Amino acid sequence: MKRIAVLTSGGDCSGMNAAVRAIVRACLAAGVEIIGVHKGFQGLIDRQYELMDTKSVSNVLQRGGTFLQSARCKEMTEDAGQRLAAENLKGMGVEGLIVIGGDGSLKGAFSLSQRGTAVIGIPASIDNDIPFTDMALGVDTALNNIARAVDNIKDTASSHDRAFLVETMGRNCGYLAVVSAIACGAEYSLIPEEPYDLEEICQDLRRRYQQGRSNSIIMVAEGAGNAQLIAEQIKDKIGFETRTIVLGHYQRGGSPTVFDRLLAARFGQAAVENLLAGEHGKMIGLKNSKMQFTPLQEVISAGIRPIDKLLPRLSSNLAV
Ligand code: F6P
């Protein structure tokens, strides 16, 4: 293999730059040319790319977002777009492609592998909803962002005897909400994977207030409901003041944690090594601290990564 390309796709996350850097440096070390495609699959369709050298990735390791930029590309979900992307890769002399992104991006990667491109996927999404990996890139940094925000909110919540609802991202996955509830000592976490009863929560909140615990944090995964609406319902039922904060895209940015930097380096190196060894059509994952490869077809057909049942139990036990 003489030339490999890399792209970042879908929602950006911290650690993408670190992964691109690792890929570029691993290619250069192996004497392989490396192309950076701009704006994800859209850049592949529009032929926006650059040949990279070691300087292309200096001073990016510690930066959040993706300097290659990203896009959500509708054309890539359609036959014509996939065909054009595959043809452009051939035209660029690219023999192997590394796709860094979430579930939609891995679907795009799979479609290209079906068309004969040698592809490896790297799971990257703050949601941690991608199966066959314990952690996706960007999750740890997002959790640290959330923890910083919740710690600050706890200060003001306790100063005013208020219940705060904190909405996290995650689409249909409650991982960010439940793990940050554990890490920050929140009283409740509402996640799409577990049914919740608002009446019960309100009774519990009243009991807590009567016992003198007059502030609380309720983490709400975006897939479990609208935090603002839930806050209004709670306020009407309990008569205490509530406030809401939607953390939104704040969660996605910022300098990657050491965990994400290391994971990016391991994913990037393993992607290049395996492409060069003729392994492709697969996604790398982190399983029991080791790199593990799973066919892209299995990854995209498995649905979202299930939440470990221990996590919601731990979250509610710790809040007794
Ligand atoms: O998949 C990552 C994610 O941040 C989700 O948690 C969120 O629902 C979505 O992307 C937001 O997408 P956008 O950045 O396109 O608004």
Short mmCIF file of all heavy atoms in Angstrom, two decimals, residues 30 56 58 72 81 98 100 124 127 143 149 151 163 187 200 207 211 257 260 263 265 304 311 317:
data_model
loop_
_atom_site.label_atom_id
_atom_site.label_comp_id
_atom_site.label_asym_id
_atom_site.label_seq_id
_atom_site.Cartn_x
_atom_site.Cartn_y
_atom_site.Cartn_z
N ALA A 30 6.19 4.42 8.14
CA ALA A 30 6.17 3.20 7.32
C ALA A 30 6.47 3.50 5.84
O ALA A 30 6.38 2.61 4.99
CB ALA A 30 4.80 2.53 7.45
N SER A 56 2.11 18.93 9.08
CA SER A 56 0.65 19.13 8.98
C SER A 56 -0.03 18.81 10.30
O SER A 56 -1.16 19.25 10.54
CB SER A 56 0.04 18.21 7.92
OG SER A 56 0.80 18.13 6.77
N SER A 58 1.62 19.09 13.41
CA SER A 58 2.26 19.57 14.64
C SER A 58 1.31 20.54 15.33
O SER A 58 0.53 21.24 14.69
CB SER A 58 3.63 20.22 14.41
OG SER A 58 3.73 20.74 13.17
N ARG A 72 -21.90 16.36 8.33
CA ARG A 72 -22.87 15.27 8.24
C ARG A 72 -23.30 15.27 6.78
O ARG A 72 -23.83 16.26 6.29
CB ARG A 72 -24.06 15.54 9.17
CG ARG A 72 -23.65 15.63 10.64
CD ARG A 72 -24.83 15.43 11.56
NE ARG A 72 -24.50 15.74 12.94
CZ ARG A 72 -23.94 14.87 13.79
NH1 ARG A 72 -23.61 13.65 13.39
NH2 ARG A 72 -23.69 15.22 15.03
N GLY A 81 -23.81 9.09 -4.23
CA GLY A 81 -22.75 9.71 -3.43
C GLY A 81 -21.66 8.70 -3.07
O GLY A 81 -20.46 8.99 -3.15
N ILE A 98 -9.03 5.52 6.24
CA ILE A 98 -9.36 5.42 7.68
C ILE A 98 -10.44 6.46 7.98
O ILE A 98 -10.24 7.65 7.71
CB ILE A 98 -8.11 5.64 8.56
CG1 ILE A 98 -7.05 4.58 8.22
CG2 ILE A 98 -8.48 5.57 10.04
CD1 ILE A 98 -5.69 4.80 8.87
N ILE A 100 -12.76 8.24 10.78
CA ILE A 100 -12.87 8.50 12.22
C ILE A 100 -14.23 9.14 12.46
O ILE A 100 -14.49 10.25 11.98
CB ILE A 100 -11.75 9.46 12.70
CG1 ILE A 100 -10.37 8.94 12.29
CG2 ILE A 100 -11.83 9.68 14.21
CD1 ILE A 100 -9.23 9.92 12.57
N ALA A 124 -15.51 7.28 17.09
CA ALA A 124 -15.31 8.59 17.71
C ALA A 124 -16.66 9.27 17.84
O ALA A 124 -17.28 9.61 16.83
CB ALA A 124 -14.36 9.44 16.86
N ASP A 127 -21.07 10.22 22.43
CA ASP A 127 -22.26 9.50 22.93
C ASP A 127 -21.93 8.15 23.58
O ASP A 127 -22.71 7.63 24.37
CB ASP A 127 -23.25 9.26 21.79
CG ASP A 127 -23.68 10.57 21.13
OD1 ASP A 127 -23.49 11.63 21.74
OD2 ASP A 127 -24.21 10.50 20.00
N LEU A 143 -17.04 13.65 29.30
CA LEU A 143 -17.42 13.40 30.70
C LEU A 143 -16.72 14.38 31.64
O LEU A 143 -17.32 14.86 32.60
CB LEU A 143 -17.08 11.96 31.09
CG LEU A 143 -18.03 10.89 30.54
CD1 LEU A 143 -17.46 9.50 30.79
CD2 LEU A 143 -19.41 11.01 31.18
N ALA A 149 -18.81 21.21 34.73
CA ALA A 149 -20.03 22.02 34.74
C ALA A 149 -20.89 21.67 35.95
O ALA A 149 -21.39 22.56 36.66
CB ALA A 149 -20.81 21.79 33.44
N ASP A 151 -20.05 20.27 38.81
CA ASP A 151 -19.41 20.73 40.06
C ASP A 151 -19.75 22.20 40.32
O ASP A 151 -20.08 22.60 41.44
CB ASP A 151 -17.89 20.55 40.01
CG ASP A 151 -17.48 19.08 40.07
OD1 ASP A 151 -18.35 18.23 40.36
OD2 ASP A 151 -16.29 18.78 39.83
N ALA A 163 -33.39 22.66 42.92
CA ALA A 163 -33.16 21.43 42.16
C ALA A 163 -32.74 21.85 40.75
O ALA A 163 -33.40 22.70 40.14
CB ALA A 163 -34.44 20.61 42.10
N GLU A 187 -28.31 13.27 42.20
CA GLU A 187 -29.32 12.46 42.90
C GLU A 187 -30.05 11.51 41.95
O GLU A 187 -30.47 10.43 42.34
CB GLU A 187 -30.34 13.38 43.61
CG GLU A 187 -29.88 13.90 44.96
CD GLU A 187 -28.71 14.88 44.89
OE1 GLU A 187 -28.51 15.48 43.82
OE2 GLU A 187 -28.01 15.02 45.91
N GLU A 200 -42.73 9.45 41.39
CA GLU A 200 -41.84 8.84 42.41
C GLU A 200 -40.66 9.75 42.72
O GLU A 200 -40.27 9.94 43.87
CB GLU A 200 -41.26 7.52 41.87
CG GLU A 200 -41.88 6.29 42.48
CD GLU A 200 -41.33 5.04 41.82
OE1 GLU A 200 -40.10 4.94 41.63
OE2 GLU A 200 -42.16 4.17 41.47
N ARG A 207 -39.26 14.10 50.26
CA ARG A 207 -38.72 13.42 51.44
C ARG A 207 -37.32 13.97 51.77
O ARG A 207 -37.02 14.28 52.92
CB ARG A 207 -38.65 11.91 51.17
CG ARG A 207 -38.05 11.08 52.28
CD ARG A 207 -37.87 9.62 51.88
NE ARG A 207 -37.03 9.41 50.71
CZ ARG A 207 -35.72 9.40 50.72
NH1 ARG A 207 -35.06 9.61 51.84
NH2 ARG A 207 -35.03 9.19 49.61
N GLN A 211 -35.95 16.05 55.04
CA GLN A 211 -34.79 15.60 55.83
C GLN A 211 -33.66 16.64 55.84
O GLN A 211 -32.58 16.39 56.34
CB GLN A 211 -34.25 14.29 55.26
CG GLN A 211 -35.15 13.11 55.48
CD GLN A 211 -34.68 11.88 54.71
OE1 GLN A 211 -33.80 11.96 53.87
NE2 GLN A 211 -35.28 10.74 55.01
N THR A 257 -8.52 14.78 27.08
CA THR A 257 -7.89 14.24 28.28
C THR A 257 -6.74 13.30 27.87
O THR A 257 -6.67 12.86 26.70
CB THR A 257 -8.90 13.42 29.10
OG1 THR A 257 -9.41 12.38 28.24
CG2 THR A 257 -10.04 14.27 29.61
N ASP A 260 -8.07 10.17 26.29
CA ASP A 260 -8.43 10.28 24.87
C ASP A 260 -7.20 10.42 23.98
O ASP A 260 -7.18 9.91 22.86
CB ASP A 260 -9.40 11.45 24.65
CG ASP A 260 -10.85 11.01 24.86
OD1 ASP A 260 -11.17 9.85 24.53
OD2 ASP A 260 -11.66 11.81 25.34
N LEU A 263 -5.79 6.90 23.73
CA LEU A 263 -6.67 6.06 22.92
C LEU A 263 -6.52 6.42 21.44
O LEU A 263 -6.45 5.53 20.57
CB LEU A 263 -8.12 6.26 23.38
CG LEU A 263 -9.16 5.30 22.82
CD1 LEU A 263 -8.85 3.86 23.21
CD2 LEU A 263 -10.56 5.68 23.32
N ALA A 265 -3.93 7.68 19.97
CA ALA A 265 -2.62 7.20 19.48
C ALA A 265 -2.70 5.70 19.19
O ALA A 265 -2.22 5.23 18.15
CB ALA A 265 -1.54 7.50 20.51
N ILE A 304 -27.45 0.33 18.99
CA ILE A 304 -26.59 1.11 19.88
C ILE A 304 -26.05 0.24 21.02
O ILE A 304 -26.65 -0.74 21.41
CB ILE A 304 -27.26 2.40 20.43
CG1 ILE A 304 -28.31 2.11 21.49
CG2 ILE A 304 -27.82 3.27 19.33
CD1 ILE A 304 -28.74 3.36 22.22
N LEU A 311 -24.59 0.40 35.93
CA LEU A 311 -24.42 1.85 36.05
C LEU A 311 -25.64 2.56 36.64
O LEU A 311 -25.49 3.30 37.61
CB LEU A 311 -24.02 2.46 34.69
CG LEU A 311 -22.64 2.03 34.16
CD1 LEU A 311 -22.41 2.58 32.75
CD2 LEU A 311 -21.53 2.50 35.08
N ASN A 317 -28.03 3.85 43.89
CA ASN A 317 -27.56 3.43 45.22
C ASN A 317 -26.71 4.52 45.89
O ASN A 317 -26.82 4.76 47.09
CB ASN A 317 -26.71 2.16 45.13
CG ASN A 317 -27.58 0.93 44.89
OD1 ASN A 317 -28.79 1.02 44.93
ND2 ASN A 317 -26.93 -0.19 44.61
#
